[in-house]
Amino acid sequence: MTENPTSKQTTTRAVDRALQLLTAVLMGETKSTLTSLSRAVDLSPSTASRLLATLASHGFVHQREDGRFIPGPRVKQMAASALRDDPVYESVGPHLDQLAAVTHETASFGIAAGEDEVLYLRQVSSATQQVQTIVWTGRTIPRHGTALGSALDGTVGREGYAVSKRPDSDVTAVAAPVFDHRGSIIGAMSINAPAYRTTSADVEGYGSVLVQHAEQLSTNLGAPLDDLRADGYFGGVVRRRRDHLPPT
């Protein structure tokens, strides 16, 4: 039996649209109502409604009483399954807890999401500050021009950390790379703090404690510290420079 190319193309387009809607719900960048979601992915409300109903029937989204759509139990199950056996996700938790406790700011761990974005994989906020930065767990930010992106690219200062103070943001971010047993950068830890209360001394303090925890976590992951120090990381004096980005 010959497959109808038109039917296959229509099915593929429907899947693509459904995934766009699911992504919009997960990112939470809109109010996640039917109207806002349909506008966000450039679909008619009727088409968006049908696709959301299909996603809901499979547990990927759930509609609250106020009409807003939120991630459903199937998404949470998939996330838990994906992270269950991830040693880095489990190992970074205590470090983020300690960083948030010491700095009284939001501590994060980010990983590369393709070539152009960074995914906030895990975050811990301090309970001592009334004004805090927004928790972005599960969301992405641009890789270019951000502290996490610079750390993931290995573009750090001689102190071992990267700083971002963008004029279009009210957040100051400091980040340090984390290495695996091959000496490849697999993620970065960061501190995000409101710019209005972050001094140069704060930045230096955040950077110093981040490098300490990044070194400890990298050590636990079997990173070759002698080689990394020879490349100028973790307080070492640069004797050579190698590419520490993971193979693509």
Side-chain angles (χ1 to χ4, degrees), residues 90-171:
E90 293 299 326
S91 298
V92 77
H95 292 280
L96 297 182
D97 290 337
Q98 294 176 44
L99 285 167
V102 170
T103 65
H104 305 291
E105 300 293 357
T106 300
S108 310
F109 181 72
I111 61 173
E115 296 182 355
D116 301 322
E117 294 183 315
V118 179
L119 170 67
Y120 277 107
L121 189 65
R122 193 164 184 171
Q123 284 188 315
V124 175
S125 298
S126 171
T128 62
Q129 296 282 14
Q130 291 184 340
V131 178
Q132 299 180 358
T133 58
I134 299 175
V135 175
W136 278 64
T137 305
R139 300 186 184 185
T140 58
I141 60 171
R143 189 160 176 167
H144 177 71
T146 60
L148 274 173
S150 295
L152 287 171
D153 290 337
T155 310
V156 297
R158 62 181 182 180
E159 300 86 358
Y161 57 87
V163 181
S164 173
K165 296 180 180 179
R166 295 190 299 170
D168 61 337
S169 174
D170 57 0
V171 174

Side-chain angles (χ1 to χ4, degrees), residues 161 163 165 172 174 195 197-208:
Y161 57 87
V163 181
K165 296 180 180 179
T172 296
V174 186
R197 67 169 180 238
T198 306
T199 65
S200 297
D202 289 330
V203 170
E204 292 180 6
Y206 298 159
S208 177

Side-chain angles (χ1 to χ4, degrees), residues 196-247:
Y196 77 88
R197 67 169 180 238
T198 306
T199 65
S200 297
D202 289 330
V203 170
E204 292 180 6
Y206 298 159
S208 177
V209 71
L210 275 167
V211 170
Q212 292 176 25
H213 280 273
E215 181 176 0
Q216 292 171 11
L217 179 55
S218 298
T219 299
N220 293 339
L221 295 173
L225 293 187
D226 289 341
D227 290 341
L228 293 172
R229 291 194 178 103
D231 290 337
Y233 297 102
F234 304 136
V237 178
V238 179
R239 299 198 299 270
R240 62 175 186 269
R241 176 61 71 179
R242 296 177 298 131
D243 183 9
H244 290 278
L245 301 182

Side-chain angles (χ1 to χ4, degrees), residues 3-20 47 51 54:
E3 185 176 14
N4 188 331
T6 302
S7 176
K8 181 178 180 180
Q9 187 177 37
T10 301
T11 301
T12 302
R13 185 164 59 247
V15 172
D16 183 67
R17 290 173 172 176
L19 290 175
Q20 290 181 34
T47 299
L51 292 173
T54 300

